[in-house]
mmCIF file of all heavy atoms in Angstrom:
data_model
loop_
_atom_site.group_PDB
_atom_site.id
_atom_site.type_symbol
_atom_site.label_atom_id
_atom_site.label_comp_id
_atom_site.label_asym_id
_atom_site.label_seq_id
_atom_site.Cartn_x
_atom_site.Cartn_y
_atom_site.Cartn_z
ATOM 1 N N MET A 44 105.426 79.396 74.522
ATOM 2 C CA MET A 44 104.435 80.040 73.691
ATOM 3 C C MET A 44 103.797 79.019 72.746
ATOM 4 O O MET A 44 104.439 78.110 72.256
ATOM 5 C CB MET A 44 105.076 81.168 72.875
ATOM 6 C CG MET A 44 105.742 82.229 73.750
ATOM 7 S SD MET A 44 104.605 82.934 74.964
ATOM 8 C CE MET A 44 103.490 83.797 73.849
ATOM 9 N N ASP A 50 91.748 72.107 71.575
ATOM 10 C CA ASP A 50 90.331 71.823 71.776
ATOM 11 C C ASP A 50 90.138 70.630 72.702
ATOM 12 O O ASP A 50 89.023 70.167 72.915
ATOM 13 C CB ASP A 50 89.651 71.526 70.429
ATOM 14 C CG ASP A 50 89.622 72.753 69.534
ATOM 15 O OD1 ASP A 50 89.518 73.862 70.078
ATOM 16 O OD2 ASP A 50 89.717 72.587 68.303
ATOM 17 N N PRO A 63 93.396 74.608 100.471
ATOM 18 C CA PRO A 63 92.600 75.653 101.126
ATOM 19 C C PRO A 63 92.297 75.307 102.577
ATOM 20 O O PRO A 63 92.112 74.136 102.925
ATOM 21 C CB PRO A 63 91.312 75.678 100.299
ATOM 22 C CG PRO A 63 91.635 74.991 99.016
ATOM 23 C CD PRO A 63 92.688 73.989 99.351
ATOM 24 N N SER A 125 77.180 80.921 89.118
ATOM 25 C CA SER A 125 77.339 79.673 88.369
ATOM 26 C C SER A 125 76.078 78.820 88.373
ATOM 27 O O SER A 125 75.880 77.991 87.485
ATOM 28 C CB SER A 125 78.510 78.866 88.941
ATOM 29 O OG SER A 125 78.312 78.601 90.319
ATOM 30 N N PHE A 171 80.971 102.549 97.788
ATOM 31 C CA PHE A 171 81.694 102.275 99.025
ATOM 32 C C PHE A 171 82.082 103.608 99.660
ATOM 33 O O PHE A 171 82.848 104.390 99.075
ATOM 34 C CB PHE A 171 82.945 101.443 98.735
ATOM 35 C CG PHE A 171 82.650 100.119 98.101
ATOM 36 C CD1 PHE A 171 82.597 99.996 96.711
ATOM 37 C CD2 PHE A 171 82.405 98.992 98.866
ATOM 38 C CE1 PHE A 171 82.317 98.780 96.107
ATOM 39 C CE2 PHE A 171 82.112 97.772 98.277
ATOM 40 C CZ PHE A 171 82.063 97.670 96.892
ATOM 41 N N LEU A 184 89.720 95.675 97.089
ATOM 42 C CA LEU A 184 88.590 95.061 96.393
ATOM 43 C C LEU A 184 89.032 94.008 95.386
ATOM 44 O O LEU A 184 88.255 93.118 95.037
ATOM 45 C CB LEU A 184 87.772 96.136 95.662
ATOM 46 C CG LEU A 184 86.834 96.991 96.496
ATOM 47 C CD1 LEU A 184 86.055 97.927 95.580
ATOM 48 C CD2 LEU A 184 85.859 96.141 97.317
ATOM 49 N N GLU A 226 87.955 69.835 91.571
ATOM 50 C CA GLU A 226 87.688 69.684 90.152
ATOM 51 C C GLU A 226 86.891 70.896 89.662
ATOM 52 O O GLU A 226 85.773 71.136 90.106
ATOM 53 C CB GLU A 226 86.914 68.391 89.884
ATOM 54 C CG GLU A 226 87.698 67.142 90.286
ATOM 55 C CD GLU A 226 86.931 65.861 90.033
ATOM 56 O OE1 GLU A 226 86.241 65.794 88.979
ATOM 57 O OE2 GLU A 226 87.003 64.944 90.862
ATOM 58 N N PHE A 268 102.166 74.732 90.939
ATOM 59 C CA PHE A 268 102.189 76.180 91.109
ATOM 60 C C PHE A 268 102.471 76.646 92.527
ATOM 61 O O PHE A 268 102.524 77.842 92.793
ATOM 62 C CB PHE A 268 100.879 76.816 90.630
ATOM 63 C CG PHE A 268 99.702 76.685 91.573
ATOM 64 C CD1 PHE A 268 99.334 77.747 92.391
ATOM 65 C CD2 PHE A 268 98.950 75.528 91.621
ATOM 66 C CE1 PHE A 268 98.229 77.636 93.235
ATOM 67 C CE2 PHE A 268 97.854 75.416 92.453
ATOM 68 C CZ PHE A 268 97.490 76.473 93.269
ATOM 69 N N SER A 313 111.268 92.077 125.210
ATOM 70 C CA SER A 313 111.981 92.707 124.095
ATOM 71 C C SER A 313 113.404 92.183 123.972
ATOM 72 O O SER A 313 113.891 91.939 122.868
ATOM 73 C CB SER A 313 111.994 94.229 124.291
ATOM 74 O OG SER A 313 112.773 94.860 123.306
ATOM 75 N N GLN A 321 119.599 88.895 116.902
ATOM 76 C CA GLN A 321 121.044 89.052 116.835
ATOM 77 C C GLN A 321 121.757 87.744 116.488
ATOM 78 O O GLN A 321 122.846 87.744 115.916
ATOM 79 C CB GLN A 321 121.571 89.577 118.177
ATOM 80 C CG GLN A 321 123.047 89.891 118.209
ATOM 81 C CD GLN A 321 123.418 91.028 117.267
ATOM 82 O OE1 GLN A 321 123.132 92.174 117.527
ATOM 83 N NE2 GLN A 321 124.059 90.702 116.147
ATOM 84 N N ASP A 324 121.064 83.502 111.650
ATOM 85 C CA ASP A 324 121.917 83.633 110.460
ATOM 86 C C ASP A 324 121.066 83.345 109.222
ATOM 87 O O ASP A 324 120.888 82.197 108.816
ATOM 88 C CB ASP A 324 123.087 82.657 110.554
ATOM 89 C CG ASP A 324 124.114 82.851 109.427
ATOM 90 O OD1 ASP A 324 123.762 83.480 108.411
ATOM 91 O OD2 ASP A 324 125.243 82.351 109.578
ATOM 92 N N TYR A 333 117.804 76.229 101.609
ATOM 93 C CA TYR A 333 117.098 76.531 100.363
ATOM 94 C C TYR A 333 118.009 76.594 99.144
ATOM 95 O O TYR A 333 117.545 76.938 98.044
ATOM 96 C CB TYR A 333 116.327 77.846 100.523
ATOM 97 C CG TYR A 333 115.155 77.699 101.465
ATOM 98 C CD1 TYR A 333 115.262 78.069 102.798
ATOM 99 C CD2 TYR A 333 113.955 77.159 101.032
ATOM 100 C CE1 TYR A 333 114.200 77.923 103.675
ATOM 101 C CE2 TYR A 333 112.879 77.005 101.892
ATOM 102 C CZ TYR A 333 113.012 77.387 103.221
ATOM 103 O OH TYR A 333 111.952 77.223 104.076
ATOM 104 N N TYR A 391 104.107 75.759 103.606
ATOM 105 C CA TYR A 391 105.043 76.637 102.928
ATOM 106 C C TYR A 391 106.160 75.890 102.208
ATOM 107 O O TYR A 391 107.191 76.465 101.892
ATOM 108 C CB TYR A 391 105.638 77.627 103.929
ATOM 109 C CG TYR A 391 104.593 78.443 104.642
ATOM 110 C CD1 TYR A 391 104.390 78.321 106.014
ATOM 111 C CD2 TYR A 391 103.784 79.326 103.930
ATOM 112 C CE1 TYR A 391 103.422 79.075 106.662
ATOM 113 C CE2 TYR A 391 102.813 80.074 104.572
ATOM 114 C CZ TYR A 391 102.632 79.949 105.948
ATOM 115 O OH TYR A 391 101.670 80.687 106.578
ATOM 116 N N PHE A 424 97.429 74.020 112.907
ATOM 117 C CA PHE A 424 98.425 75.053 113.185
ATOM 118 C C PHE A 424 97.764 76.429 113.210
ATOM 119 O O PHE A 424 97.971 77.224 114.139
ATOM 120 C CB PHE A 424 99.514 75.014 112.109
ATOM 121 C CG PHE A 424 100.513 76.142 112.181
ATOM 122 C CD1 PHE A 424 101.559 76.105 113.084
ATOM 123 C CD2 PHE A 424 100.401 77.242 111.342
ATOM 124 C CE1 PHE A 424 102.481 77.142 113.160
ATOM 125 C CE2 PHE A 424 101.317 78.284 111.402
ATOM 126 C CZ PHE A 424 102.357 78.231 112.315
ATOM 127 N N TYR A 433 101.093 79.470 120.657
ATOM 128 C CA TYR A 433 102.502 79.304 120.321
ATOM 129 C C TYR A 433 103.338 80.492 120.805
ATOM 130 O O TYR A 433 103.021 81.644 120.511
ATOM 131 C CB TYR A 433 102.682 79.164 118.805
ATOM 132 C CG TYR A 433 101.754 78.177 118.143
ATOM 133 C CD1 TYR A 433 101.208 78.440 116.891
ATOM 134 C CD2 TYR A 433 101.416 76.972 118.770
ATOM 135 C CE1 TYR A 433 100.364 77.539 116.264
ATOM 136 C CE2 TYR A 433 100.568 76.071 118.159
ATOM 137 C CZ TYR A 433 100.036 76.356 116.904
ATOM 138 O OH TYR A 433 99.200 75.461 116.292
ATOM 139 N N PHE A 450 102.826 94.793 103.248
ATOM 140 C CA PHE A 450 103.759 94.033 104.069
ATOM 141 C C PHE A 450 103.916 94.667 105.456
ATOM 142 O O PHE A 450 104.772 94.256 106.230
ATOM 143 C CB PHE A 450 105.125 93.955 103.386
ATOM 144 C CG PHE A 450 105.119 93.076 102.161
ATOM 145 C CD1 PHE A 450 104.784 93.606 100.927
ATOM 146 C CD2 PHE A 450 105.411 91.730 102.256
ATOM 147 C CE1 PHE A 450 104.766 92.797 99.790
ATOM 148 C CE2 PHE A 450 105.395 90.917 101.127
ATOM 149 C CZ PHE A 450 105.078 91.455 99.894
ATOM 150 N N TYR A 465 98.895 93.404 117.762
ATOM 151 C CA TYR A 465 100.151 94.142 117.731
ATOM 152 C C TYR A 465 99.797 95.616 117.533
ATOM 153 O O TYR A 465 99.626 96.079 116.413
ATOM 154 C CB TYR A 465 101.039 93.635 116.594
ATOM 155 C CG TYR A 465 102.370 94.353 116.448
ATOM 156 C CD1 TYR A 465 102.839 95.260 117.397
ATOM 157 C CD2 TYR A 465 103.160 94.130 115.335
ATOM 158 C CE1 TYR A 465 104.045 95.911 117.254
ATOM 159 C CE2 TYR A 465 104.385 94.775 115.169
ATOM 160 C CZ TYR A 465 104.811 95.674 116.126
ATOM 161 O OH TYR A 465 106.012 96.329 115.971
ATOM 162 N N GLY A 485 105.380 106.600 95.337
ATOM 163 C CA GLY A 485 106.748 107.027 95.558
ATOM 164 C C GLY A 485 106.850 108.224 96.481
ATOM 165 O O GLY A 485 107.928 108.517 97.004
#
Side-chain angles (χ1 to χ4, degrees):
M44 302 304 293
D50 293 327
S125 57
F171 300 90
L184 282 184
E226 298 180 39
F268 77 100
S313 175
Q321 185 64 73
D324 187 342
Y333 290 97
Y391 303 115
F424 173 80
Y433 312 142
F450 290 88
Y465 179 10

